[in-house]
Amino acid sequence: LVVTVGVSAGCQKADPVASLKERVSTYWGLKQSKVWEQVYEQYLDPEAKKTVTKEAFLKRRWLAFDILSYEISDVKDEGDKATVAVANEANIPLKTPEGELKFFKKQVTTTDEWVRRDGKWYVVLTE
Protein backbone atom coordinates (compact mmCIF):
# COMPACT_ATOMS: atom_id res chain seq x y z
CA LEU A 1 0.00 0.00 0.00
CA VAL A 2 2.81 2.43 0.85
CA VAL A 3 4.45 1.79 -2.51
CA THR A 4 1.19 2.51 -4.36
CA VAL A 5 0.69 5.82 -2.55
CA GLY A 6 4.29 6.84 -3.20
CA VAL A 7 4.05 5.99 -6.88
CA SER A 8 0.75 7.83 -7.39
CA ALA A 9 2.04 10.92 -5.56
CA GLY A 10 5.12 10.88 -7.77
CA CYS A 11 2.96 10.80 -10.90
CA GLN A 12 1.06 14.00 -10.05
CA LYS A 13 2.04 16.93 -12.21
CA ALA A 14 3.31 20.06 -10.53
CA ASP A 15 1.29 23.18 -11.29
CA PRO A 16 3.34 24.85 -14.06
CA VAL A 17 2.10 28.30 -13.04
CA ALA A 18 2.37 27.86 -9.26
CA SER A 19 5.24 30.37 -8.91
CA LEU A 20 3.34 32.88 -11.03
CA LYS A 21 0.15 32.46 -9.00
CA GLU A 22 2.14 32.93 -5.79
CA ARG A 23 3.72 36.15 -7.13
CA VAL A 24 0.35 37.44 -8.37
CA SER A 25 -1.30 36.73 -5.02
CA THR A 26 1.44 38.51 -3.06
CA TYR A 27 1.36 41.43 -5.52
CA TRP A 28 -2.40 41.83 -5.06
CA GLY A 29 -2.00 41.63 -1.28
CA LEU A 30 0.48 44.50 -1.49
CA LYS A 31 -1.90 46.46 -3.74
CA GLN A 32 -4.71 45.86 -1.24
CA SER A 33 -2.47 47.10 1.59
CA LYS A 34 -1.21 49.96 -0.61
CA VAL A 35 2.43 49.04 -0.06
CA TRP A 36 3.40 50.67 -3.36
CA GLU A 37 7.14 50.98 -2.70
CA GLN A 38 7.42 47.22 -2.37
CA VAL A 39 5.32 46.75 -5.52
CA TYR A 40 7.72 49.02 -7.42
CA GLU A 41 10.88 47.43 -6.00
CA GLN A 42 9.91 43.74 -6.20
CA TYR A 43 7.08 43.28 -8.71
CA LEU A 44 7.33 45.91 -11.43
CA ASP A 45 8.97 44.74 -14.66
CA PRO A 46 12.63 45.86 -14.57
CA GLU A 47 12.21 47.15 -18.14
CA ALA A 48 9.54 49.60 -16.93
CA LYS A 49 11.86 50.91 -14.21
CA LYS A 50 14.17 52.19 -16.93
CA THR A 51 11.56 54.80 -17.90
CA VAL A 52 9.36 55.17 -14.79
CA THR A 53 10.92 56.57 -11.63
CA LYS A 54 9.79 55.35 -8.25
CA GLU A 55 8.50 58.84 -7.45
CA ALA A 56 6.34 58.94 -10.60
CA PHE A 57 5.04 55.43 -9.89
CA LEU A 58 4.13 56.30 -6.30
CA LYS A 59 2.50 59.60 -7.27
CA ARG A 60 0.16 57.80 -9.69
CA ARG A 61 -1.00 55.50 -6.89
CA TRP A 62 -1.67 58.16 -4.28
CA LEU A 63 -5.41 58.04 -4.95
CA ALA A 64 -5.69 54.31 -5.71
CA PHE A 65 -9.07 52.84 -4.86
CA ASP A 66 -9.51 50.40 -2.00
CA ILE A 67 -9.40 46.71 -2.92
CA LEU A 68 -11.77 44.83 -0.61
CA SER A 69 -11.15 41.31 -1.90
CA TYR A 70 -9.51 39.54 -4.83
CA GLU A 71 -9.23 36.10 -6.37
CA ILE A 72 -7.11 34.91 -9.29
CA SER A 73 -9.71 33.81 -11.83
CA ASP A 74 -7.64 32.87 -14.89
CA VAL A 75 -4.00 32.36 -15.87
CA LYS A 76 -2.87 32.02 -19.47
CA ASP A 77 0.77 30.92 -19.49
CA GLU A 78 2.65 31.55 -22.74
CA GLY A 79 6.20 30.57 -21.75
CA ASP A 80 7.93 33.70 -20.46
CA LYS A 81 4.74 35.77 -20.76
CA ALA A 82 1.39 35.34 -19.09
CA THR A 83 -1.98 37.03 -18.83
CA VAL A 84 -3.61 36.91 -15.41
CA ALA A 85 -7.22 37.85 -14.68
CA VAL A 86 -8.11 38.75 -11.10
CA ALA A 87 -11.70 39.15 -9.96
CA ASN A 88 -11.85 41.81 -7.29
CA GLU A 89 -14.24 43.92 -5.30
CA ALA A 90 -13.25 47.53 -4.87
CA ASN A 91 -14.53 50.73 -3.31
CA ILE A 92 -14.63 53.15 -6.23
CA PRO A 93 -14.70 56.85 -5.27
CA LEU A 94 -17.03 59.10 -7.27
CA LYS A 95 -17.73 62.79 -6.81
CA THR A 96 -21.34 63.86 -6.63
CA PRO A 97 -22.49 67.00 -8.49
CA GLU A 98 -22.25 68.77 -5.11
CA GLY A 99 -18.55 67.85 -4.90
CA GLU A 100 -19.04 65.24 -2.19
CA LEU A 101 -16.99 62.05 -2.47
CA LYS A 102 -19.03 58.84 -2.30
CA PHE A 103 -17.74 55.27 -2.44
CA PHE A 104 -19.41 52.48 -4.38
CA LYS A 105 -18.56 48.80 -4.08
CA LYS A 106 -18.02 47.28 -7.48
CA GLN A 107 -17.02 43.84 -8.76
CA VAL A 108 -14.43 44.14 -11.52
CA THR A 109 -12.02 41.86 -13.31
CA THR A 110 -8.53 43.23 -13.78
CA THR A 111 -6.26 41.70 -16.41
CA ASP A 112 -2.50 42.13 -16.08
CA GLU A 113 0.33 41.05 -18.32
CA TRP A 114 3.28 39.37 -16.60
CA VAL A 115 6.77 38.57 -17.90
CA ARG A 116 9.39 36.17 -16.62
CA ARG A 117 12.88 37.63 -16.42
CA ASP A 118 15.76 35.48 -15.16
CA GLY A 119 13.25 32.97 -13.80
CA LYS A 120 11.17 35.51 -11.84
CA TRP A 121 7.72 36.89 -12.74
CA TYR A 122 7.07 40.66 -12.95
CA VAL A 123 3.95 42.66 -13.74
CA VAL A 124 4.06 44.78 -16.90
CA LEU A 125 3.22 48.44 -16.32
CA THR A 126 0.19 49.49 -18.38
CA GLU A 127 0.01 53.23 -17.74
Side-chain angles (χ1 to χ4, degrees):
L1 180 64
V2 173
V3 173
T4 305
V5 171
V7 170
S8 67
C11 293
Q12 292 178 350
K13 283 187 171 181
D15 184 351
V17 294
S19 67
L20 172 59
K21 286 180 181 176
E22 185 177 318
R23 294 267 301 161
V24 171
S25 183
T26 303
Y27 165 75
W28 272 85
L30 292 170
K31 283 179 63 167
Q32 185 177 36
S33 301
K34 297 185 179 182
V35 185
W36 298 115
E37 284 192 26
Q38 196 170 346
V39 167
Y40 182 87
E41 293 294 333
Q42 298 177 11
Y43 291 86
L44 186 65
D45 179 11
E47 289 298 310
K49 290 183 193 177
K50 293 178 181 177
T51 57
V52 178
T53 66
K54 184 194 280 189
E55 292 74 26
F57 178 84
L58 295 175
K59 187 176 181 182
R60 292 279 313 226
R61 276 132 194 95
W62 189 68
L63 292 175
F65 52 82
D66 294 328
I67 298 167
L68 304 174
S69 64
Y70 61 90
E71 181 179 346
I72 299 169
S73 55
D74 188 40
V75 176
K76 289 187 176 69
D77 182 11
E78 301 159 14
D80 285 339
K81 292 184 179 183
T83 303
V84 181
V86 177
N88 57 96
E89 183 177 42
N91 259 345
I92 310 291
L94 292 174
K95 275 193 176 178
T96 65
E98 296 80 30
E100 185 180 331
L101 199 59
K102 294 219 177 214
F103 292 89
F104 297 91
K105 284 184 186 176
K106 184 165 178 148
Q107 286 285 123
V108 295
T109 298
T110 304
T111 303
D112 292 316
E113 299 297 320
W114 287 74
V115 293
R116 184 172 23 215
R117 302 203 189 278
D118 298 322
K120 199 169 190 178
W121 286 102
Y122 297 93
V123 69
V124 176
L125 187 67
T126 56
E127 293 186 338

